[in-house]
């Protein structure tokens, strides 16, 4: 079994797509290990996206991620990292395949509905970033 960290971004929450996306997650066979709604602080968004610090979109991305609440979850499935990335589609919804989550629900390249970890190692770190040991209750 493998885990991944996902975020339903402020646009998905604002547009009331949370129920649809969580339903799709269950339909696709993921197990939801942990789940919560949070409103990130500026400092937290900057830390989470630190890998993109040098990219031109970093500042705007951080601003967007604190613009409203998000829903974060740790998911489990065989090959969860790749399975989720395949299900969400390309970063830019205009380039995303039909029926992917970003194609169905994203607003734009920045407000693209969801995040997914890009490797098993980053997934572990990102899950720990959002969930305490107690919240995970030995699930990792
Ligand atoms: P994520 O990490 O959120 O799952 P990703 O791996 O598809 O998305 P990254 O390249 O890691 O994409 O970029 C992180 C996030 O930064 C994107 O999801 C998007 O919200 C934003 N982003 C990326 N490229 C651009 C861009 N050119 N313009 C505006 N926002 C961008
Ligand atoms: Mg990424």
């Amino acid at each position: 079994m493998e885990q991944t960290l996902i975020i339903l971004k402020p646009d998905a929450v604002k547009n009331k797509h949370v129920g649809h996306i969580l339903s799709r997650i269950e339909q696709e066979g993921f197990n939801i290990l942990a789940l919560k709604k949070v409103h990130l602080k500026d400092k937290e968004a900057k830390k989470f996206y630190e890998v993109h610090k040098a990219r031109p979109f970093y500042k705007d991305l951080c601003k967007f991620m604190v613009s409203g609440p998000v829903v974060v979850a740790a998911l489990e499935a065989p090959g969860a990292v790749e399975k989720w990335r395949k299900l969400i589609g390309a970063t830019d919804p205009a380039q995303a395949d039909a029926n992917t989550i970003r194609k169905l629900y994203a607003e734009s390249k920045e407000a693209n509905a969801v995040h997914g970890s890009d490797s098993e190692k980053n997934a572990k770190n990102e899950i720990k970033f959002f969930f305490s040991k107690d919240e995970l209750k030995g699930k990792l």
Side-chain angles (χ1 to χ4, degrees):
M1 272 298 189
E2 191 175 295
Q3 289 92 30
T4 193
L5 185 280
I6 71 156
I7 305 177
L8 311 189
K9 295 184 180 182
D11 61 308
V13 174
K14 183 191 76 191
N15 294 324
K16 303 204 181 291
H17 295 316
V18 171
H20 289 119
I21 298 172
L22 291 179
S23 173
R24 181 77 182 272
I25 284 167
E26 293 194 320
Q27 274 170 25
E28 298 283 344
F30 290 96
N31 187 21
I32 301 172
L33 292 180
L35 175 76
K36 64 182 171 185
K37 188 177 187 181
V38 293
H39 197 146
L40 292 176
K41 293 189 174 76
D42 187 54
K43 223 173 147 179
E44 294 168 325
K46 281 181 178 149
K47 192 165 174 225
F48 185 78
Y49 280 116
E50 205 161 23
V51 286
H52 295 312
K53 210 171 175 172
R55 310 273 286 272
F57 57 82
Y58 176 71
K59 227 178 138 191
D60 283 343
L61 174 63
C62 292
K63 223 168 132 187
F64 165 63
M65 291 300 289
V66 303
S67 68
V70 299
V71 172
V72 294
L75 303 185
E76 184 175 70
V81 170
E82 273 318 299
K83 184 180 164 82
W84 175 251
R85 295 195 68 83
K86 207 168 163 228
L87 177 61
I88 65 179
T91 307
D92 182 351
Q95 313 288 325
D97 289 340
N99 209 31
T100 56
I101 289 176
R102 282 171 170 160
K103 188 63 163 190
L104 293 171
Y105 303 116
E107 283 184 355
S108 66
K109 195 168 183 179
E110 177 181 79
N112 61 357
V114 285
H115 163 82
S117 309
D118 58 12
S119 68
E120 257 196 281
K121 186 171 171 278
N122 285 340
K124 285 202 167 70
N125 291 332
E126 291 181 1
I127 290 170
K128 279 191 229 147
F129 182 89
F130 282 110
F131 294 101
S132 68
K133 252 192 177 151
D134 198 45
E135 285 172 309
L136 294 164
K137 297 227 190 312
K139 285 172 197 149
L140 279 193

